[in-house]
Amino acid sequence: MTESEEAQNTNTSALRDNIERKGKNAYYYAHGHKVNGPKWDGKPEPKLLSKEEFVDTTSSANNNSAVLSDVARRSLAFDSKSTITSYAFCDEEAKVKIYVNLPSVGENDGVDVQLEHTSSSFDLIVRNYKNADAVERLGFARLFGAIDGASYKVKKDKIIVTLVKTEALPWARIGDRGGGGNAE
């Protein structure tokens, strides 16, 4: 062995050495992949790794769905007029429940809640929540699957929207991203 080979062998870790000698039969083979992501900058805040350009889906020049980016395709399902962007959902066998946190919504007598739906969309409208002219809205133009009905319950600090599924299939998300859902 030459001096450069010996220096290289001393610089490799025991894990790498074991994998190099025994290949796929090495005890540490499963741990042998090298991390190829960006180096951590030491800050706990999230770091934007990539950015996709948003395609305006309202202009007539961009109506061809084959040209739309993934970001634009996802935005088609989530209604752009929605002011409520934070919610949680629970996928049950026959229904999907959507939890919308609105502090003190149930304690405010002047709040007007409306729920409109079709077999493939829904729109939750909350009027007079923050003030007399305020309108809070959560809507999806295309749901992940078809629904037979929708209802809501107003609790002290949240509104629970229940969507009754047409078929008892699992939903990965609320909105359909284009071709991935169960909606007809």
Side-chain angles (χ1 to χ4, degrees), residues 109-175:
D109 292 334
V111 172
D112 177 29
V113 180
Q114 293 178 323
L115 181 63
E116 300 169 359
H117 67 89
T118 67
S119 64
S120 62
S121 68
F122 86 90
D123 200 10
L124 175 71
I125 302 167
V126 182
R127 289 188 172 86
N128 306 324
Y129 169 60
K130 293 180 181 174
N131 59 44
D133 297 330
V135 177
E136 299 291 324
R137 189 165 180 258
L138 174 63
F140 284 88
R142 284 194 332 238
L143 294 172
F144 189 79
I147 61 171
D148 284 333
S151 62
Y152 70 90
K153 289 182 184 176
V154 179
K155 301 287 185 175
K156 179 182 175 186
D157 289 323
K158 64 185 162 204
I159 297 175
I160 303 171
V161 178
T162 304
L163 306 175
V164 180
K165 298 178 187 179
T166 302
E167 298 180 62
L169 297 172
W171 285 24
R173 58 193 161 272
I174 300 299

Side-chain angles (χ1 to χ4, degrees), residues 55-146:
V55 177
D56 182 14
T57 58
T58 58
S59 74
S60 60
N62 291 327
N63 281 342
N64 186 355
S65 63
V67 201
L68 295 177
S69 71
D70 188 42
V71 173
R73 208 173 262 115
R74 276 183 260 149
S75 70
L76 290 175
F78 188 73
D79 198 327
S80 63
K81 297 176 188 170
S82 293
T83 57
I84 299 171
T85 56
S86 179
Y87 59 88
F89 80 98
C90 179
D91 180 27
E92 298 175 3
E93 190 169 333
K95 57 190 168 189
V96 174
K97 290 188 176 182
I98 303 168
Y99 299 89
V100 181
N101 288 329
L102 297 172
S104 304
V105 70
E107 298 171 350
N108 187 344
D109 292 334
V111 172
D112 177 29
V113 180
Q114 293 178 323
L115 181 63
E116 300 169 359
H117 67 89
T118 67
S119 64
S120 62
S121 68
F122 86 90
D123 200 10
L124 175 71
I125 302 167
V126 182
R127 289 188 172 86
N128 306 324
Y129 169 60
K130 293 180 181 174
N131 59 44
D133 297 330
V135 177
E136 299 291 324
R137 189 165 180 258
L138 174 63
F140 284 88
R142 284 194 332 238
L143 294 172
F144 189 79

